[in-house]
Every structure is written in structure tokens, then in C-alpha cells.
Amino acid sequence: MKKFLFILIVLVVAGGWYFYDPYLKPYIGDYVEKAQKIADEAKGDNFSEEKSKVAKKTPSAVKPAAKTTQKKKADQPAAKMPAKSKPAPMTDLDKLVAERYPMPDIKPLVEIVDHWRRVPAKAYPKQVIITERVAFQLIVEGKAVGASVAVPGTAVAPLRLNGETLQVASLANRTMKSQLPVDQTNFKELVKQRYDQFVVKIRNQVNSNRAKAKKKLAANPEIYKNFGKAEAGWDDPNDARFELVKASLAKGDVKAVQLSEAKQFRWNGSEKINGDLYRGTYDTVSVKFEVKTIFGVFPNEFKCLLQAGRVVGWIDPLTLEEKI
């Protein structure tokens, strides 16, 4: 009986479906569509609620606070670099001092030593330290008559650099000599150290001279009244008035320069000097030098003071300091 009822229900539903579109839809189609729409809306609301529940249970991958912080950081303007202050324009006094005491253009070390092929004798250190054992021999008339061995850390005297080989002598007995690779000593390091020290020294000296001159000139403007006459040119170096000046240089009265380095002379005539050591009226002669060193050629200028037909001293033309 139950089987029969089930088959009957199936036949009724199938028949209704079969006859719905051509026969029943014109009469009940509106009601069916409204019912379907209500069912779909109810289903959509349930789906939204479920989705909201799932979203509440699932933690967010990125916290809103973090996003806000990142955004604020991104919106913040980048920190401005402090503007470089422009150097103050040079005054006439600054220009005069800079011209009188120019910062020398020192040759690079690699140029001075010709890439370590020709190191000037003046640049040699008095002694170097070896890093390997060195055997010394005492040669007399072509025969070895004595020998010794120097251990690493021993000081020896460098004699001559030939390529990559350095000839050295024992400090205890200079007649005992040997050769070793220059890189097994601190020869190059000491040469560079001396070069660096000279560069610092000469630049500090120039800055010191500039500072002294500015201080002196600020207190005594009349000092450079006759300074800077180079615009008027220099005199004939063979002028007889410069004979006493040249003789003083030839005697070595100014150890910083030599007569051969004196390139230009100028007769200034009578001039009042108000220095710490020399005070009074003198005939003065300005002399410009080009001092040659292994580090380059450096210009300089000194003033010679003459009184009663003899040289009484040499001074710096701006600081009025004595030059001996």
C-alpha cells in the first residue's frame, strides 16, 4: 500500500511539472514566482548572518591599528638634512694673508717615490725593522771573513732600494751588509709616515702663519702699507743695492732658504718697522723665494732690514717675526 502511495505522489508531481508551463503557469505563475522570491530572500539573509558569524570568529591578518600607524609614518615628511653653511666671503685682509701664505700644492707620495722605483735619499728612514731572519756577511777583499744572523724584529740601516730589493747594514757593524725583499721590512710604512707628518706640519704651519698675520695686521694696519707692491713689479736682481742682501743669504743668515732659491728682489726704501724684536726705521728689501724640497716647490717671501750699510736682520713681512 505504501509503495503504491509513493508511486502515486511521484506521478502527481511529475504530471504537475509537465502540465505547469503550458496549462497552469498562466493562472498560478505569479504566485509561484512570488513564493520563490520570498524563499530566495530568506536564504540570502541566512547566508549573510552565517558569513558575519564566520568573520567574527576568524581573526584579522592585519590589525587596523597597525595599518593606521604605518600610514601615519608614510605620511610624515622625511627629515630634512641640515643645509651646508656657505663660507663667509673673503675680506681684503683674508685675501692678502692667503696670498702671502699660500697653501702649498704638495706632490702625491707615489709621484715623489716614482712608484717606489726611485725613493729620494732624503726620504730614507734612519733604520727599519725586519720581519724575517737576515744573514749578514763581512766581505773583505772579496772574501767573507765574518757572518751573523739578525732575527725578526731587529733594527737595521737601509742603504739602497733597488727595485723590490732593499740593501741593509747591521747597526752594530755598518760593514756587515745584506739584502732582502723590501716588503720584509717596514721601509715603505716609515716613508709614508714621514710624508704624512710633513703634510700635516706644513699645513698647520701655514694656518698658524695666517692666524698670526691677521692678528698682527688687525692691531697694526700700517704694517702692510708697503706690502703688496708686487703690482708695481720687481727690480733687476743684478741691482747693486742687493749685494749686501745676497751676501747675507750666501752666509746662511736665513737657514730656511738659500741664495739659489732667491728669484725676485724689490727695493722698498725707508720703512718704519714696529716688531717685537726690530723697532725703528730701516731700508728694506723684499725677496721672493722658491724653496725646493722632495715634496714640491714652495713659495716664500722674507724682508731684509738694512741700516748703516749693513744687514741687521730678516723678518716675515706681515708678522714681523725674525727669520734666522
Side-chain angles (χ1 to χ4, degrees), residues 7-82:
I7 294 172
L8 181 62
I9 292 172
V10 171
L11 292 174
V12 171
V13 172
W17 178 259
Y18 179 77
F19 289 103
Y20 170 74
D21 188 62
Y23 302 106
L24 300 178
K25 186 175 182 180
Y27 302 99
I28 64 173
D30 294 338
Y31 299 101
V32 173
E33 290 178 1
K34 288 180 180 180
Q36 184 65 40
K37 184 176 180 181
I38 292 171
D40 291 341
E41 291 177 354
K43 184 178 179 181
D45 292 340
N46 292 336
F47 178 76
S48 298
E49 291 178 2
E50 292 296 328
K51 184 177 180 181
S52 178
K53 290 178 182 180
V54 173
K56 289 180 179 180
K57 291 180 181 181
T58 304
S60 175
V62 180
K63 294 181 180 181
K67 288 183 178 179
T68 304
T69 303
Q70 291 176 357
K71 185 177 180 181
K72 286 183 178 180
K73 288 183 179 180
D75 292 341
Q76 291 177 354
K80 294 183 178 180
M81 296 294 292

Side-chain angles (χ1 to χ4, degrees), residues 66-279:
K67 288 183 178 179
T68 304
T69 303
Q70 291 176 357
K71 185 177 180 181
K72 286 183 178 180
K73 288 183 179 180
D75 292 341
Q76 291 177 354
K80 294 183 178 180
M81 296 294 292
K84 292 184 178 180
S85 57
K86 295 182 179 179
M90 294 182 68
T91 64
D92 291 340
L93 180 58
D94 291 327
K95 292 178 181 178
L96 176 63
V97 170
E99 181 182 354
R100 168 61 186 88
Y101 305 102
M103 193 61 71
D105 185 15
I106 302 174
K107 294 180 181 179
L109 177 60
V110 69
E111 182 179 336
I112 294 174
V113 300
D114 190 18
H115 298 274
W116 299 103
R117 290 191 292 261
R118 285 189 294 272
V119 179
K122 292 182 179 180
Y124 274 54
K126 292 183 178 180
Q127 60 185 43
V128 297
I129 303 299
I130 59 176
T131 59
E132 301 290 339
R133 290 170 62 89
V134 177
F136 288 91
Q137 286 187 331
L138 176 60
I139 307 297
V140 177
E141 296 181 355
K143 295 181 180 181
V145 297
S148 66
V149 175
V151 298
T154 301
V156 297
L159 301 179
R160 186 175 67 254
L161 179 63
N162 185 12
E164 293 297 321
T165 302
L166 181 66
Q167 185 182 39
V168 297
S170 170
L171 294 179
N173 186 349
R174 294 299 181 101
T175 60
M176 301 189 72
K177 302 176 183 179
S178 185
Q179 294 182 349
L180 74 163
V182 66
D183 290 337
Q184 291 182 6
T185 73
N186 61 342
F187 177 86
K188 292 181 179 179
E189 290 83 351
L190 292 178
V191 172
K192 184 179 184 304
Q193 184 181 82
R194 184 183 176 189
Y195 171 83
D196 293 339
Q197 289 173 347
F198 173 82
V199 172
V200 172
K201 178 182 177 181
I202 197 69
R203 288 176 178 170
N204 287 343
Q205 183 179 334
V206 170
N207 288 327
S208 176
N209 288 338
R210 287 180 177 182
K212 289 179 182 178
K214 288 183 67 174
K215 184 177 179 180
K216 198 79 173 180
L217 292 173
N220 303 282
E222 71 278 3
I223 292 177
Y224 61 89
K225 181 179 180 181
N226 294 322
F227 187 81
K229 287 184 177 179
E231 292 80 6
W234 295 82
D235 297 322
D236 182 357
N238 296 317
D239 191 315
R241 293 176 297 179
F242 303 139
E243 292 304 319
L244 290 175
V245 177
K246 292 179 180 179
S248 176
L249 290 172
K251 287 192 303 181
D253 288 345
V254 186
K255 295 180 175 58
V257 293
Q258 299 177 8
L259 175 59
S260 61
E261 296 170 333
K263 302 302 179 182
Q264 294 175 301
F265 296 81
R266 183 175 61 244
W267 180 266
N268 300 316
S270 180
E271 186 178 351
K272 185 177 180 181
I273 303 298
N274 190 28
D276 295 333
L277 181 61
Y278 296 101
R279 291 176 178 268

